[in-house]
Amino acid sequence: MKMLINGAERVVADALRGMAAAHPELRVDVDRRLVVRGDAPVEGKVGLVSGGGSGHEPLHAGFVGYGMLDAACCGEVFTSPVPDQMTQAAAAVHGGAGVLLIVKNYTGDVLNFDMAAELVEDEGIEVAKVVVQDDVAVTDSTFTAGRRGTGGTLFVEKLAGAAAQEGAPLAVVAEVARRAAEGSRSFGVALHGPTTPAKGSPTFDLPPDQLELGIGIHGEPGRERRAMLGAAEIADLTVDALLADYGPGPTGPLLCLTNGMGGTPLLELYGFHAEVVRALGARGITPARSLVGDYVTSLDMAGCSVSLCQVDDELLRLWDAPVSTPGLRRGR
Amino acid sequence: MAGQTTERDAAFVAAWLTASADAVRAEADRLTELDSAIGDADHGNNMRRGFTAVVAGLEKERQEATGGVLLLAGRTLVSTVGGASGPLFGTLLRRAGKALGEAERVTDAELKEALEAGVDAVAQLGGAALGDKTMLDALLPAVAELPDYAAAARAAEAGAKATIPLRAHKGRASYLGERSVGHEDPGAASAALLLGALFQVSR
């Protein structure tokens, strides 16, 4: 597979050099693989630190900026960053009001962030942690590492980021993050597996007439394969999987993210979003807000995920609050 | 075969880690291939990066204590590997290093005890047990065979192969459910490489 790279070992560092060149408002440490808000630490503001394996751009580094994250730690492709990066990030963004760590639920991310949280506390910095586990495709959580953190992470970072930007204290920001995480559900499908730079070929082979259901964002195969379906059928199946998981059904306003995995054109994605909204409508639900685009990707994987977040008026207000990051910008 | 009274020094421990690094480098593509079947196709690269850093670290900061070698190696893995493998393999070595402490020479029995402590710490950190299709499936039967290094290496290898029919209950492979069956666990394969290297330097 051809790639626009200088070599697999350099992919992450090269991307960070590019971010530094494109976004002078951010501090990019290419060696330590950290992206930090240029004005950090903001005095009296809770610092939001997230991070994870690279390959999901714009998540997380692309969400660093006003109204969202204060710092992102970039791991190797699909590999959690290490505790050193997280402690350095926390130190860089601590403005006296403590630090919130936003962690996607993967064994590696959780282990590394837990180690980091202990070290940060040892430095005398107050730390809270929220783990995002929104992927409804993982059904028997007792026999797995639990649900994966996927598209719902965007909701958590945006909502908690808005609360922190308004000056809310750590306990309140952490509570907003928890409510966002608990209200989020995601389900993804793949039409083609992603190609990691290290491997150079797709991490799973999907025949042209097959669809992979319940995929994650790391090129791990999904739970089930079926004959390829049309957009309307995929949307129905996705919406059913999401709504079934809310039990009695989501209450209150709903945020809807129709998210591209990196290799699906926006033309298809908007068409698919129309089907998602139609499918929701047929079940009596109108999303309060929609977002469509590539936000939580898996390299060049073709396919999409739908994330819903059940909110209240307060969270909806935080969703509408201004944000200015490379990956998400509005109202500012 | 090594006896209970054979003594090992820091150079021996360093030689083990260097041999492990050689084995990981030689097998990196196979590890990545295994990880591609049930994970995310990066295990070989991550382990190679970590063990390359371990060897570089040991050359730079020469350790006199047996425990010091393992502590440095464990810290290096935690700070360079990432993913779950960094904390898990790092903890294995760090905890074993803590058990050996400042001793410049240790017996094979003491080394066995230290590695047992390391394996216990891995089980605790990862919350996994024998049969969960993880590195423990290679490590647990192997440390039980120590100080017979040859038997330990064979047990680790057999343990890794024995993960093939198992269904993963931990880590990223667990998301596959039944589809994780039929593939060797990459973490167990790496653990077997470490035990193979230990046997190699013990001869």
Side-chain angles (χ1 to χ4, degrees):
Chain A
M1 185 86 62
K2 283 178 282 191
M3 288 185 189
L4 198 59
I5 61 175
N6 291 314
E9 303 292 325
R10 290 179 52 179
V11 167
V12 177
D14 283 351
L16 288 174
R17 282 172 44 229
M19 278 201 82
H23 301 289
E25 72 278 16
L26 302 175
R27 290 206 301 268
V28 178
D29 187 330
V30 177
D31 292 329
R32 292 188 166 126
R33 303 188 173 194
L34 294 177
V35 176
V36 180
R37 264 174 76 159
D39 58 354
V42 181
E43 184 64 32
K45 180 181 126 31
V46 171
L48 263 63
V49 174
S50 191
S54 294
H56 309 304
E57 292 68 27
L59 186 85
H60 297 270
F63 296 147
V64 173
Y66 181 93
M68 220 159 161
L69 296 178
D70 291 86
C73 311
C74 308
E76 289 293 324
V77 173
F78 293 167
T79 301
S80 162
V82 300
D84 297 10
Q85 289 170 280
M86 299 157 188
T87 54
Q88 285 155 0
V93 306
H94 176 52
V99 171
L100 175 69
L101 305 176
I102 300 174
V103 187
K104 301 198 298 305
N105 189 39
Y106 297 96
T107 308
D109 293 78
V110 171
L111 290 180
N112 284 285
F113 269 104
D114 279 354
M115 283 183 149
E118 260 182 53
L119 296 168
V120 172
E121 267 174 359
D122 289 349
E123 300 285 303
I125 299 175
E126 203 186 346
V127 185
K129 186 186 76 175
V130 61
V131 178
V132 188
Q133 32 195 341
D134 55 314
D135 180 10
V136 304
V138 180
T139 46
D140 52 354
S141 295
T142 2
F143 296 104
T144 65
R147 289 187 164 183
R148 299 175 283 219
T150 60
T153 314
L154 179 142
F155 297 134
V156 177
E157 294 182 353
K158 170 67 183 83
L159 297 172
Q165 192 64 56
E166 290 180 358
L170 181 59
V172 172
V173 176
E175 183 54 26
V176 165
R178 261 178 226 116
R179 274 157 61 205
E182 281 164 17
S184 293
R185 305 282 189 280
S186 298
F187 188 84
V189 300
L191 313 185
H192 192 278
T195 298
T196 62
K199 187 161 184 270
S201 57
T203 55
F204 58 87
D205 288 317
L206 198 50
D209 57 345
Q210 302 266 300
L211 169 73
E212 186 100 12
L213 296 175
I215 46 114
I217 54 172
H218 295 97
E220 65 271 45
R223 293 186 63 85
E224 194 195 337
R225 231 164 239 203
R226 282 203 198 171
M228 186 57 196
L229 302 166
E233 292 161 299
I234 297 173
D236 279 317
L237 190 149
T238 300
V239 164
D240 279 340
L242 292 169
L243 294 185
D245 202 77
Y246 277 110
T251 52
L254 210 57
L255 310 177
C256 176
L257 165 65
T258 296
N259 174 61
M261 303 304 305
T264 288
L266 267 181
L267 185 72
E268 289 177 37
L269 209 56
Y270 269 105
F272 182 69
H273 181 67
E275 294 299 340
V276 169
V277 172
R278 191 240 346 121
L280 283 168
R283 290 153 183 85
I285 294 167
T286 308
R289 302 287 186 273
S290 286
L291 186 64
V292 180
D294 286 4
Y295 290 101
V296 181
T297 61
S298 182
L299 294 171
D300 63 342
M301 183 155 80
C304 63
S305 63
V306 176
S307 299
L308 300 178
C309 184
Q310 170 183 276
V311 296
D312 53 22
D313 290 343
E314 170 62 7
L315 293 185
L316 191 60
R317 189 185 65 75
L318 292 171
W319 178 255
D320 289 336
V323 60
S324 181
T325 69
L328 190 65
R329 178 169 304 189
R330 74 169 103 91
R332 193 167 183 278
Chain B
M1 191 182 79
Q4 297 278 346
T5 51
T6 310
E7 289 207 330
R8 309 292 182 180
D9 59 7
F12 171 83
V13 180
W16 168 36
L17 295 170
T18 303
S20 298
D22 291 341
V24 164
R25 274 195 288 260
E27 297 287 320
D29 288 346
R30 183 175 69 93
L31 295 175
T32 289
E33 199 60 44
L34 293 176
D35 194 31
S36 161
I38 58 172
D40 53 4
D42 62 4
H43 186 64
N45 269 26
N46 293 340
M47 292 295 281
R48 177 168 51 198
R49 183 176 62 248
F51 272 91
T52 300
V54 165
V55 172
L58 289 172
E59 278 169 9
K60 214 168 90 186
E61 292 179 54
R62 219 183 154 73
Q63 302 291 315
E64 299 303 326
T66 47
V69 176
L70 289 173
L71 282 172
L72 176 61
R75 273 204 312 272
T76 306
L77 291 182
V78 169
S79 62
T80 55
V81 176
S85 300
L88 291 168
F89 279 96
T91 294
L92 172 71
L93 299 186
R94 279 168 72 205
R95 190 58 65 87
K98 228 164 135 182
L100 294 181
E102 294 299 312
E104 290 189 12
R105 302 184 74 80
V106 294
T107 64
D108 278 338
E110 287 167 330
L111 188 57
K112 173 191 171 91
E113 267 178 48
L115 289 173
E116 278 172 342
V119 173
D120 280 350
V122 168
Q124 208 172 2
L125 182 65
L130 192 69
D132 280 344
K133 199 178 182 100
T134 71
M135 58 196 276
L136 286 176
D137 293 327
L139 290 174
L140 283 167
V143 291
E145 293 290 344
L146 289 174
D148 183 339
Y149 292 100
R154 278 196 304 272
E157 188 59 40
K161 294 283 180 261
T163 63
I164 294 173
L166 297 177
R167 176 179 170 171
H169 288 163
K170 294 286 168 187
R172 220 168 263 170
S174 68
Y175 303 128
L176 291 170
E178 288 298 331
R179 287 166 73 180
S180 65
V181 170
H183 302 280
E184 183 178 348
D185 178 65
S190 279
L193 293 179
L194 266 57
L195 269 298
L198 184 59
F199 169 51
Q200 189 192 319
V201 298
S202 73
R203 284 188 290 183

